Amino acid sequence: MKFDTPATTNPIDQGKVIGLPLGRIDGALKTSGTAPYAYERHDVAPDAAYGYIVGAAIAKGRIASIDQRRARAAPGVIAIVTAGNAGKLGKGRFNTARLLGGPMVDHYHQAVALVVAETFEQARAAAQLLQVEYVRADGAFDLAQARDATDRRTTDRSSTVGDFAGAFAQAEVRLDQTYTTPDHSHAMMEPHATTAAWQGDRLVVWTSNQMVDWTRTDLAATLGIAKDKVRLVSPYVGGGFGAKLFLRADTVLAALGARAAQRPVKVALQRPLVANNTTHRPATIQRIRIGATRQGRITAIGHESWSGNLAGGQPENAVQQTQLLYAGAHRLTGTRLALLDLPEGNAMRAPGEAPGLMALEIAIDEMAEQLGMDPLELRVLNDTQVDPARPERRFSERRLVECLRTGAQRFGWAQRDARPAQRREGRWWIGTGLAAGLRNNLLAKSGARVRLDARGVVTVETDMTDIGTGSYTIIAQTAAEMMGVPIERVVVRLGDSSFPVSAGSGGQWGANSSTAGVYAACAKLRDTVARRAGFQPADTAFADGMVVSGGRSVPLASVAAQAGAEGLVAEDAIEFGDLDKRYQQSTFAAHFVEVAVDAFTAEVRVRRMLAVCAAGRILNPRTARSQVIGAMTMGVGAALMEELVVDRRQGFFVNHDLAGYEVPVHADIPHQEVIFLDEADAVSSPMKAKGVGELGLCGVGAAVANAVYHATGVRVRDYPVTLDKLLDRMPPLAA
């Protein structure tokens, strides 16, 4: 189905199942421990051996030798895989051949060997007996130094509209500040894990992955085998946040280990390897310049961001929201990449916007203070209904002002004293802050297969994944709505490369695109059912397990029974026309936060949070709310505690476990509220939905930082906002 013109009549608009706050249909499996995750697939590989990855002990250099004698003689050892015996590896996305290092080492904890043994404990013990000799080379591990070193700069990308330099120089009020964000770890609950088995020349991997088709394609390319010889299965994923978008070392080495051992092999990354072996959100240095009239109209806005990556990597696009969020005739955005020898920087929840808004939305507050304006009113004044760089291109829906106004009323913003460090409750300074959020609505082709059987049961198959986001449930709701059956009569099967290719889970495109693909398949199945029942498809309705036309109704089960044991099957995919080119499609949020800061220790406590989101039709308010409050919590972590600390001598992340890398817990977030505006964006898809999982993060960090400033009068521009950055600048206590 090609979607390029919004439908005038649409069965999904009935709202009998879509839009209901239903519980997750996979919830019982997960809470009872019966949902089989990748490392737990004992049913498919009962005789599996265990692999243990050895990570490089240096950040840059080469391997001089690997003495395997003691390891091979250790109890239970079956095979040892290194670059020396793995065979030639091909290049997939992001040079997947380098997922197994050797002889050159590109970064710390790059996989250099896999030890396979009968038990996990035996594999781990034998791995300690490998004697790897390295020749260390000098590396670059400091972003600030690399930014200033001409030999480390590889990519400068700039976009200009109008005359930014001239307009900024002539502006009546100017802001020019630099902000930094640190490296972040995804820190999801389930580490990267794979069970691999060869069946002759065919490979099956049960893995934890967000994008089934991407990873299957890259795995085939890396191993040098045909794609149709690879099956990838990923029905349950214990969190990803972008870390599992791409093929990683666990899957490659499990496949290589299974080939060497001639039996299935399980591989799970130890927690330190999740931080250093896989991807992370790279640190940024961001310079923001804003010029405005004394009345608050932005005339010039510039945002430049520096980040680092390995050779061949991409910069963190922390400026993309600044291209769209506020009006202004003269604009400059640019990303700069410096070569670093740290582990790969890549997508992490809301890549670009999350760190970019952490800087931009502090800068907007700082400009409001210079102007003597309410920061909410400055944002409202500079709202735009068109792409500032392309005024002929309107937003399909843009309700940022309504988000801000709704949130202000609900949060009690009008009662706020604008002056910082004015409100005390005992030993606590109290402050409130806000920030706007934007995340673009990305579209991706997505397919599904739908089967109606003689029992009247609808089965949906698609390689879409559920990474804890509720995909099973909203896909079931879509099929139930389209086919007119209760949700209990829908079976959803996900995460298998033998199913039609979906959009996958990433970039906030998953919910809208995957359900639209199911919509397309159901629309084709509806036509088939109607014709077999003797009706004209345009004149039929589906409700209560019946297909109805005129005064006659026929049970769906009886129509399917006529087709035999297989029932009726339809397969289709949603393909988007040029609507995303004719309209700017984005989602918007307003975040409000209240904090308390201890007057003596400068410890920060978040007291309450509110998010107001405009993100198209909300397919399931319960699962959507869970996504947003999880994102809000993640934003608190980014604001107050999360930082992968770089050892700038040895080139690795020091706090590479969950003991040293701090993330928020329930006790850190006492009260959260989420409001969804009633919005159905007819341009986005036949579902009229968008995404919320990343929007809920966009702007949260800045709202927290702005609240800390309002409480204390101390402006911190270097995240995270830890007490050591506040303590010696706290306001004096009254006598």
Side-chain angles (χ1 to χ4, degrees):
M1 172 187 285
K2 188 171 184 179
F3 178 76
D4 54 14
T5 304
T8 53
T9 60
N10 188 336
I12 212 72
D13 291 337
Q14 299 174 103
K16 295 180 180 179
V17 188
I18 282 292
L20 297 184
L22 303 181
R24 287 172 53 167
I25 63 176
D26 55 318
L29 292 174
K30 292 180 176 177
T31 55
S32 64
T34 54
Y37 288 85
Y39 201 71
E40 303 165 345
R41 295 307 300 262
H42 308 299
D43 55 329
V44 296
D47 61 337
Y50 292 81
Y52 192 90
I53 290 179
V54 178
I58 64 170
K60 188 175 179 63
R62 63 182 177 85
I63 298 171
S65 65
I66 302 179
D67 187 339
Q68 305 178 22
R69 288 172 296 178
R70 293 176 63 208
R72 286 192 177 278
V77 170
I78 302 168
I80 297 176
V81 177
T82 69
N85 64 4
K88 181 177 175 55
L89 299 181
K91 180 179 179 180
R93 203 181 312 260
F94 305 116
N95 195 8
T96 53
R98 298 300 298 153
L99 293 174
L100 176 59
M104 304 308 297
V105 173
D106 302 316
H107 61 84
Y108 185 79
H109 269 174
Q110 181 179 16
V112 298
L114 177 79
V115 177
V116 180
E118 294 289 349
T119 69
F120 170 79
E121 292 78 10
Q122 289 173 333
R124 180 178 59 186
Q128 315 309 313
L129 300 178
L130 280 179
Q131 294 181 308
V132 186
E133 298 293 333
Y134 299 96
V135 177
R136 193 185 302 269
D138 292 335
F141 313 120
D142 188 304
L143 175 59
Q145 289 183 2
R147 175 192 61 171
D148 299 330
T150 55
D151 64 325
R152 305 303 299 184
R153 291 171 57 182
T154 63
T155 304
D156 285 359
R157 299 174 181 169
S158 293
S159 173
T160 59
V161 177
D163 177 15
F164 168 76
F168 182 73
Q170 296 169 20
E172 294 174 320
V173 183
R174 291 189 296 273
L175 172 88
D176 186 347
Q177 289 290 356
T178 297
Y179 308 84
T180 68
T181 63
D183 298 286
H184 287 156
S185 176
H186 298 80
M188 61 282 173
M189 290 179 65
E190 181 198 24
H192 297 72
T194 300
T195 300
W198 290 87
Q199 299 168 353
D201 64 347
R202 301 181 64 84
L203 172 66
V204 183
V205 292
W206 296 268
T207 189
S208 184
N209 190 268
Q210 298 174 229
M211 303 292 295
V212 168
D213 191 61
W214 285 8
T215 302
R216 179 193 185 202
T217 301
D218 282 354
L219 182 57
T222 304
L223 298 177
I225 61 178
K227 182 177 176 179
D228 63 8
K229 298 291 187 182
V230 177
R231 181 184 174 204
L232 190 148
V233 185
S234 186
Y236 300 103
V237 180
F241 306 123
K244 298 174 181 174
L245 284 172
F246 314 112
L247 178 66
R248 305 311 317 171
D250 61 300
T251 307
V252 172
L253 287 172
L256 293 173
R259 185 164 65 188
Q262 297 186 340
R263 60 190 279 194
V265 167
K266 294 176 178 290
V267 174
L269 294 188
Q270 321 71 293
R271 184 61 65 174
L273 265 68
V274 173
N276 283 295
N277 174 275
T278 69
T279 63
H280 71 285
R281 192 197 304 281
T284 67
I285 300 172
Q286 303 178 50
R287 182 189 184 191
I288 297 179
R289 289 173 283 176
I290 304 174
T293 67
R294 289 192 175 88
Q295 293 73 41
R297 291 278 182 189
I298 293 175
T299 56
I301 184 165
H303 190 168
E304 298 166 279
S305 176
W306 288 260
S307 60
N309 214 333
L310 294 165
Q314 298 296 314
E316 178 79 1
N317 191 5
V319 305
Q320 54 194 0
Q321 74 290 318
T322 307
Q323 297 170 339
L324 295 167
L325 193 50
Y326 299 113
H330 305 283
R331 318 176 69 84
L332 165 68
T333 55
T335 55
R336 325 291 187 215
L337 178 66
L339 280 180
L340 291 179
D341 299 302
L342 291 172
E344 178 186 332
N346 213 316
M348 181 171 164
R349 196 176 197 171
E353 288 101 338
L357 283 161
M358 289 171 74
L360 176 65
E361 288 299 284
I362 289 182
I364 292 293
D365 260 40
E366 294 200 67
M367 175 56 84
E369 187 172 42
Q370 285 193 44
L371 291 163
M373 289 184 68
D374 185 314
L376 185 148
E377 297 303 330
L378 178 60
R379 289 171 170 87
V380 170
L381 180 65
N382 290 284
D383 186 51
T384 174
Q385 291 298 311
V386 300
D387 180 340
R390 298 169 58 189
E392 74 283 358
R393 188 165 177 254
R394 297 188 62 81
F395 286 90
S396 60
E397 290 281 350
R398 180 181 168 116
R399 299 171 68 183
L400 174 60
V401 171
E402 188 175 347
C403 290
L404 290 163
R405 295 288 191 211
T406 301
Q409 191 278 328
R410 187 62 167 258
F411 199 73
W413 188 258
Q415 285 72 54
R416 176 183 189 261
D417 186 330
R419 297 171 299 166
Q422 296 298 307
R423 181 180 167 195
R424 279 268 305 281
E425 293 181 5
R427 64 184 292 152
W428 299 95
W429 293 101
I430 311 300
T432 54
L434 69 82
L438 174 148
R439 175 71 173 162
N440 283 339
N441 181 52
L442 305 177
L443 304 172
K445 180 180 177 181
S446 194
R449 181 165 52 240
V450 185
R451 177 179 287 102
L452 174 66
D453 67 23
R455 300 169 298 156
V457 172
V458 176
T459 299
V460 183
E461 295 176 335
T462 170
D463 80 357
M464 179 62 182
T465 51
D466 190 324
I467 60 174
T469 48
S471 300
Y472 279 100
T473 307
I474 58 173
I475 285 173
Q477 288 178 267
T478 303
E481 190 78 74
M482 291 292 291
M483 299 308 301
V485 300
I487 196 168
E488 294 79 14
R489 305 295 289 172
V490 178
V491 175
V492 179
R493 302 176 65 196
L494 299 183
D496 191 323
S497 63
S498 64
F499 299 156
V501 176
S502 74
S505 298
Q508 197 176 265
W509 63 64
N512 181 37
S513 297
S514 67
T515 55
V518 174
Y519 174 103
C522 286
K524 181 178 282 190
L525 182 59
R526 283 166 61 104
D527 282 0
T528 301
V529 171
R531 295 185 192 281
R532 281 183 168 268
F535 301 144
Q536 289 298 315
D539 300 326
T540 58
F542 289 71
D544 303 320
M546 312 286 284
V547 54
V548 182
S549 182
R552 192 163 68 92
S553 62
V554 180
L556 295 179
S558 66
V559 178
Q562 297 170 12
E566 287 295 311
L568 297 174
V569 181
E571 183 175 328
D572 205 350
I574 192 74
E575 295 188 69
F576 298 93
D578 65 349
L579 287 176
D580 61 329
K581 297 180 174 61
R582 288 190 276 136
Y583 295 91
Q584 173 57 45
Q585 297 189 43
S586 303
T587 60
F588 297 91
H591 291 284
F592 294 80
V593 174
E594 180 180 279
V595 302
V597 183
D598 191 292
F600 300 97
T601 68
E603 295 170 272
V604 179
R605 296 289 182 266
V606 175
R607 305 215 308 186
R608 58 190 179 107
M609 305 178 75
L610 167 66
V612 183
C613 301
R617 169 179 281 145
I618 302 302
L619 303 175
N620 183 320
R622 182 186 295 188
T623 58
R625 177 182 179 274
S626 294
Q627 284 297 289
V628 174
I629 64 172
M632 293 161 71
T633 304
M634 202 170 192
V636 171
L640 299 179
M641 59 191 74
E642 292 190 41
E643 177 181 11
L644 280 171
V645 179
V646 180
D647 184 320
R648 292 181 172 84
R649 302 161 303 164
Q650 304 299 326
F652 67 97
F653 299 128
V654 178
N655 53 335
H656 49 215
D657 57 35
L658 294 184
Y661 185 84
E662 296 185 6
V663 297
V665 296
H666 286 168
D668 295 316
I669 317 290
H671 181 76
Q672 293 172 308
E673 185 177 2
V674 180
I675 296 173
F676 295 115
L677 297 188
D678 186 10
E679 176 181 290
D681 191 335
V683 172
S684 72
S685 79
M687 302 299 295
K688 303 181 182 178
K690 295 178 183 175
V692 296
E694 299 186 341
L695 176 68
L697 174 61
C698 295
V700 175
V704 174
N706 288 335
V708 170
Y709 171 74
H710 183 239
T712 64
V714 180
R715 177 65 74 187
V716 178
R717 302 184 181 91
D718 302 307
Y719 288 99
V721 184
T722 47
L723 59 87
D724 55 299
K725 298 170 185 174
L726 298 169
L727 196 55
D728 62 355
R729 300 161 62 193
M730 291 289 288
L733 297 172

